[in-house]
Amino acid sequence: MSATGFDHPKAPFGRRLATVEMNAPTGGYRLVSALDSEGPDPAPGQFYMLATERGWGGVDGRPYLPRAFSVASAERRDAGVRLDFLLESVGPGTEALAGLRGGDGLWITGPLGNPFSAPRDLNPRAAGAILVGGGIGIAPLAVLRRALSRRGFPHRALLGFRDRAHSGGVSELFSCSEVRLASEDGHAGHRGYVTDLLETMLDGDSAATAVVYACGPPAMLEAVRAMSLERGVACELALETPMACGFGACFGCAVPLAEGGYMRLCVEGPAVRADRIATAATAGAGHR
């Protein structure tokens, strides 16, 4: 962490081929690990553009564009950086990525985008962080919680899932952490939304010394944004929008700003302050 926040590595120019080391099921999701022999260590909240070496662009042209994924874990080794990605197969792109095997090639571009801010950059009086994740949106928070732990900054994680089939990654990515769970079908933890847990926590804690970080479905993020703004709690969101390039060239990831106009999420985000945007309920979010 630098004096002003988490270090912000820049991606090497062009994409490069990483080698898949593992693809394992975790609940209804997959955890894919790949070795990047050339790139820098990513910062919490940064993302990569992913595409398989083989089978990308079939006879019908799909999948064609790479898919944007937050890194869920990163570990420096002698041979490079091992990167972990949490994904769910919901369309042609994620289906191809979910089918990777050890030894396969994975095209990666990254790390891209702006990382999360350090807690006291968001609130100089911050005494603790609350991490709120939904679905595969728990991925960037897993990297963030490790960074906070290394620096001895107190934090708690609130994680929510739709049901058992749409959940996973908790034991692999949040072991040895203080975690509270919510599920809409009641299979784990509180029966309801993860925002129910956040509301209770904010009502019980001092909002003046809290910092909230969140990533998940647009509706969840919008609820977190509204709740934080209403209580005057410092909050940063990792948003997801359709990204075709990751460099700011295609303007496919435009997000409306509170003051008017738009920002390109891939170069000015994906981590953005909650009070900077007009809404987190962005259209077209979701990997396919």
Side-chain angles (χ1 to χ4, degrees):
M1 192 188 299
S2 69
T4 57
F6 293 104
D7 292 334
H8 186 176
K10 298 293 186 182
F13 182 75
R15 68 176 185 172
R16 55 197 182 276
L17 193 62
T19 303
V20 174
E21 293 191 333
M22 182 196 73
N23 180 351
T26 169
Y29 301 155
R30 309 287 305 187
L31 191 62
V32 175
S33 302
L35 183 67
D36 175 12
S37 61
E38 303 175 55
D41 294 4
Q46 289 194 294
F47 69 95
Y48 289 77
M49 303 298 289
L50 306 181
T52 60
E53 182 186 20
R54 303 180 189 282
W56 202 266
V59 292
D60 62 352
R62 301 187 71 192
Y64 180 68
L65 298 170
R67 302 303 197 252
F69 277 89
S70 295
V71 63
S73 179
E75 179 184 335
R76 169 60 64 178
R77 297 177 176 175
D78 292 341
V81 184
R82 193 204 71 190
L83 304 171
D84 294 341
F85 300 98
L86 186 67
L87 60 91
E88 181 178 20
S89 177
V90 294
T94 49
E95 182 179 355
L97 293 168
L100 286 166
R101 298 181 178 180
D104 285 349
L106 175 66
W107 287 113
I108 65 172
T109 305
L112 299 170
N114 292 320
F116 286 116
S117 302
R120 292 195 175 117
D121 287 343
L122 297 173
N123 178 2
R125 298 175 57 197
I130 305 171
L131 316 184
V132 186
I136 63 169
I138 69 173
L141 301 176
V143 181
L144 177 62
R145 72 101 182 163
R146 289 192 181 91
L148 295 174
S149 294
R150 285 195 296 271
R151 291 156 178 82
F153 194 86
H155 58 278
R156 289 167 286 185
L158 310 177
L159 308 179
F161 301 96
R162 186 194 314 172
D163 52 37
R164 191 182 299 276
H166 298 85
S167 64
V170 176
S171 59
E172 294 87 346
L173 300 174
F174 286 85
S175 60
C176 304
S177 294
E178 181 182 343
V179 176
R180 292 195 63 191
L181 297 176
S183 56
E184 295 177 41
D185 68 345
H187 81 277
H190 165 72
R191 187 185 188 98
Y193 297 114
V194 69
T195 47
D196 299 340
L197 302 179
L198 176 63
E199 184 173 31
T200 301
M201 190 166 284
L202 290 180
D203 287 345
D205 286 5
S206 172
T209 57
V211 175
V212 172
Y213 297 93
C215 184
M220 186 208 89
L221 290 181
E222 179 58 16
V224 172
R225 189 184 77 89
M227 197 179 297
S228 299
L229 293 180
E230 180 181 321
R231 290 166 171 77
V233 178
C235 177
E236 197 164 61
L237 310 172
L239 299 178
E240 178 190 330
T241 59
M243 292 183 183
C245 66
F247 299 116
C250 71
F251 288 77
C253 58
V255 173
L257 296 169
E259 62 185 13
Y262 292 85
M263 63 179 287
R264 292 168 298 168
L265 194 67
C266 65
V267 292
E268 296 184 68
V272 296
R273 288 199 331 264
D275 60 356
R276 192 180 174 207
I277 56 175
T279 177
T282 53
H287 299 292
R288 295 294 173 184

